[in-house]
Amino acid sequence: MKINKTLGFSVAALGFLALGYFGVQYFGRNNMFTIAAAVGGAGAISYVLQKPSQPEAPTAPIKAQRKGKKS
């Protein structure tokens, strides 16, 4: 399983490097910096806006009260 993760991370890293290299060739350096800043900013904003998941408080069953004579 560790080999699969390592292989996956390696392939992803090479893919991102290739995307960056060819992106610079096609769009230019300044446009790629702008795109990278926009993606990084969107990631930071989405991280900040996430609400932490809190477990719901367990609810106790409500007992019905009987109306009647007390002994």
Side-chain angles (χ1 to χ4, degrees):
M1 192 58 136
K2 188 175 182 181
I3 294 174
N4 289 340
K5 285 185 180 180
T6 304
L7 182 62
F9 288 141
S10 299
V11 169
L14 287 174
F16 288 129
L17 286 172
L19 180 68
Y21 175 77
F22 290 116
V24 167
Q25 300 298 316
Y26 185 74
F27 295 117
R29 186 177 72 174
N30 291 334
N31 288 338
M32 286 301 290
F33 279 133
T34 304
I35 292 169
V39 170
I45 290 171
S46 67
Y47 177 78
V48 169
L49 293 180
Q50 285 180 355
K51 293 183 179 178
S53 59
Q54 296 177 354
E56 293 183 15
T59 57
I62 300 173
K63 295 182 180 179
Q65 295 179 355
R66 294 183 185 177
K67 292 185 178 180
K69 296 180 182 177
K70 290 186 178 180
S71 39

